[in-house]
Amino acid sequence: MGRYRFAVVFAALLAGLAAPAAAAADTGIPNITVEVPQQVTAVAGRITTVTATVVNHGRTAAADLVLHSADTGALATTCGDEGCPVGDLAAGASRKYTISFTPAAATGVEDIASTFEVSVSGTTGAVLDSAPVTVARTTAGTDLALAGIDDVAVDRGNYTNVPITVRNSGTRMVSHLALVLVAEQALQPVAGYANCEFDRTDDFSYTTVTCLIDQTLGPGQTLSLPATTNPLLVKVAPDAGGPDEYAVSAAVVGVGDTAAGVAAAEPGPRLTLRAAAAPDDLAGDVTSFRIDVSASTAGVSAADPAADDDTTVGSTDRLPSPTGWLAAFIAGALVVLIARRRRTA
């Protein structure tokens, strides 16, 4: 995706705000990020690994870095409470680590997809950056693949359709499918169906929607969402920063009868697939695409031209990422300060 998200402690935020404008060019503070896959699939009960890359984007070496991966009730990860020592990292250097986890079996729609946080801390123990990894559970022996999805440009406040096409490239019938969509901050998936459930990460950086689709998919068969009815959408927030690129990832997994039975009891309209032609390009069980948002605009309020306190009014409230490391730090710090778990049905 070519972009990095930053989070800093409140003290760093205050220091950045108090400094004069010229201090923004001083990159004496190490600029540390952690990069992980946005979404992976895993078979319940089997060990799965993801690669986490710690990067120093600054001009100053960082010391005593530690990588952490927070455990959840359904995932047991390495680099947990004690963390994995990274040590010192020179300016411009990066270091890769493998994080292993073993997901438990899904018992309902709410735990088909689970998210754990990967973070890196510094000398004081404060978190320098963090990123979530969403794990979608699949049943053993399935071989499902999604067609690739093209990048798209969307204006603030508007929607884009998510064209999902899934093919069974395996040799066994799949009785229940789960579609998992993960959208970055400033994007909101829209799927008003009884078999879809929404969740957000603790820092609001990602929203996940999981739809359990109770349809069979035989070997060599292909199903897709009906594009004419736009059943699955992603909305760009009216105050999304720009110019910027926001990431969306989709995954499809086979689901066991236990989880499917729980979802089947929910009343209301249901998201379904229909038969389709085999796609030319298959991206595997996870595919990603970008939503491009244009540059922000700003002007001076003319409500009272004679007043001395004219206010600059912009089309967005969020700071766009190209404004530099200080703005990214501030935006990340604000996210950390207001972080709170929120679930919506």
Side-chain angles (χ1 to χ4, degrees), residues 257-273:
D257 293 338
T258 301
V262 173
E266 296 292 332
R270 310 184 73 79
L271 183 68
T272 59
L273 303 171

Side-chain angles (χ1 to χ4, degrees), residues 20-184:
D26 180 12
T27 54
I29 301 175
N31 184 349
I32 305 298
T33 64
V34 58
E35 303 169 13
V36 292
Q38 179 171 310
Q39 186 164 304
V40 297
T41 61
V43 176
R46 295 187 181 179
I47 297 175
T48 303
T49 61
V50 296
T51 299
T53 304
V54 180
V55 186
N56 185 352
H57 297 280
R59 299 179 182 177
T60 303
D64 300 327
L65 299 177
V66 180
L67 187 68
H68 306 270
S69 55
D71 291 346
T72 69
L75 295 170
T77 64
T78 56
C79 294
D81 294 338
E82 298 300 323
C84 295
V86 177
D88 299 344
L89 194 61
S94 63
R95 196 165 295 161
K96 295 182 182 293
Y97 287 84
T98 298
I99 297 176
S100 300
F101 58 89
T102 305
T107 58
V109 180
E110 69 279 357
D111 56 5
I112 290 173
S114 296
T115 299
F116 68 91
E117 197 83 7
V118 178
S119 62
V120 59
S121 63
T123 304
T124 64
V127 173
L128 301 176
D129 190 33
S130 64
V133 179
T134 297
V135 179
R137 292 162 176 73
T138 189
T139 55
T142 59
D143 188 6
L144 303 177
L146 287 167
I149 302 175
D150 294 332
D151 298 340
V152 62
V154 182
D155 291 331
R156 294 173 186 81
N158 287 351
Y159 299 80
T160 183
N161 184 38
V162 182
I164 296 294
T165 299
V166 55
R167 182 171 177 80
N168 185 353
S169 299
T171 59
R172 56 170 289 190
M173 176 82 71
V174 179
S175 298
H176 313 285
L177 304 171
L179 176 63
V180 181
L181 195 69
V182 180
E184 201 175 0

Side-chain angles (χ1 to χ4, degrees), residues 123-327:
T123 304
T124 64
V127 173
L128 301 176
D129 190 33
S130 64
V133 179
T134 297
V135 179
R137 292 162 176 73
T138 189
T139 55
T142 59
D143 188 6
L144 303 177
L146 287 167
I149 302 175
D150 294 332
D151 298 340
V152 62
V154 182
D155 291 331
R156 294 173 186 81
N158 287 351
Y159 299 80
T160 183
N161 184 38
V162 182
I164 296 294
T165 299
V166 55
R167 182 171 177 80
N168 185 353
S169 299
T171 59
R172 56 170 289 190
M173 176 82 71
V174 179
S175 298
H176 313 285
L177 304 171
L179 176 63
V180 181
L181 195 69
V182 180
E184 201 175 0
Q185 186 180 29
L187 303 179
Q188 175 61 58
V190 180
Y193 300 93
N195 56 333
C196 297
E197 179 166 313
F198 290 80
D199 196 11
R200 286 180 179 171
T201 55
D202 291 340
D203 63 356
F204 291 87
S205 59
Y206 288 88
T207 301
T208 300
V209 57
T210 303
C211 299
L212 196 147
I213 301 171
D214 194 13
Q215 293 179 248
T216 58
L217 183 60
Q221 292 184 337
T222 302
L223 295 175
S224 69
L225 290 175
T228 54
T229 58
N230 295 328
L232 187 57
L233 303 170
V234 172
K235 179 182 180 181
V236 178
D239 61 347
D244 215 339
E245 299 169 346
Y246 295 95
V248 181
S249 287
V252 62
V253 295
V255 180
D257 293 338
T258 301
V262 173
E266 296 292 332
R270 310 184 73 79
L271 183 68
T272 59
L273 303 171
R274 65 181 183 183
D280 295 329
D281 59 328
L282 292 174
D285 50 9
V286 175
T287 186
S288 299
F289 66 99
R290 299 179 308 179
I291 294 180
D292 297 328
V293 178
S294 61
S296 305
T297 59
V300 177
S301 173
D304 185 4
D308 295 330
D309 59 347
D310 286 349
T311 303
T312 298
V313 179
S315 63
T316 64
D317 295 330
R318 296 195 179 102
L319 291 168
S321 61
T323 55
W325 69 270
L326 179 60

